[in-house]
Amino acid sequence: MDKRQQLVVTAFDLFYRHGIHAVGINQILQVSGVAKKTLYHHFSSKEALVAAVVAYRDAAYLEWLNARLAEGEQTVTGLIHTLFMALDDWFNDRVEQLTTFHGCFFINTCGEYGEPGHEIHRLCARHKAAVVNMLADYLRRTGTAAPATSRLAQTLGLLKEGAIVQAHVQGEKRAAITAGELALRLAAD
C-alpha cells in the first residue's frame, strides 16, 4: 500500500469509529506512521483528505453491494431478499471488507457536514443516489416496467436507509430482516 492509500485507509478507520471532527491530523499521522510533509504532499487540507476518504468508502461499498446483488436471484423478490440479507450481514459484522459496523459512513459524514451545498455533503448525496440507481438497474434486469422500477428503487433505498439508522442508533441488529419483510409486502402490492 502506498503512503497516500495508507493515509486514506487510516483516516477512514478513525473517522468511521470516532467521527471526522473528533479526529485530528496528528492522530492520523501517528496511527498511519506517515510524516506530515507526506500527508500535505498528497492532500492540500484535512477536507481534501476527507473527500478522498468518502471516495474510498464509496468505491468499496458500491463494489461490495454490486457483487452481493449479482449473486442473488434476478427477480424482484430475489433482489429484495439479497439486498436485505447483505445488509443483515453488514449490521452483524459478517462483511470483513466493510469493517465493523458503525452505521453508515455517509449519513455520519453528512451529520458533520450538514450544509447541502458543501462539497463533502454533495459527495455523500451522490453515493446515496448511486445506490438507488444500482437498485433500479437490477430491477430493470428483472423486467420491471419503468415507472415501477423508479418507485420501487426509491422505496428500497428508503427502507435500506431506515434499517441502517435503526441498526446503528437503536442497536436493532435485525432491522434489515424487518425492512426486507416490509419491502416484500410492498412489492407484492
Side-chain angles (χ1 to χ4, degrees), residues 62-80 82-83 130-144 149 152-153 156:
L62 292 176
E63 178 183 309
W64 166 76
L65 183 60
N66 188 50
R68 286 297 298 263
L69 295 178
E71 292 172 358
E73 183 182 323
Q74 298 302 302
T75 64
V76 172
T77 57
L79 175 66
I80 291 169
T82 302
L83 171 64
V131 170
V132 171
N133 288 336
M134 182 185 293
L135 293 172
D137 286 343
Y138 275 93
L139 286 166
R140 278 190 285 281
R141 295 177 199 175
T142 70
T144 305
T149 297
L152 185 53
L156 293 176

Side-chain angles (χ1 to χ4, degrees), residues 91-158:
F91 299 169
N92 290 285
D93 299 324
R94 295 187 296 261
V95 181
E96 187 176 320
Q97 73 193 85
L98 294 183
T99 71
T100 302
F101 179 73
H102 295 287
C104 173
F105 179 72
F106 304 96
I107 294 171
N108 299 348
T109 299
C110 279
E112 295 196 53
Y113 291 90
E115 177 57 45
H118 193 284
E119 179 60 22
I120 301 297
H121 190 101
R122 288 196 317 264
L123 290 171
C124 293
R126 275 186 236 146
H127 168 80
K128 296 299 183 180
V131 170
V132 171
N133 288 336
M134 182 185 293
L135 293 172
D137 286 343
Y138 275 93
L139 286 166
R140 278 190 285 281
R141 295 177 199 175
T142 70
T144 305
T149 297
S150 177
R151 193 171 47 253
L152 185 53
Q154 292 292 331
T155 300
L156 293 176
L158 184 62

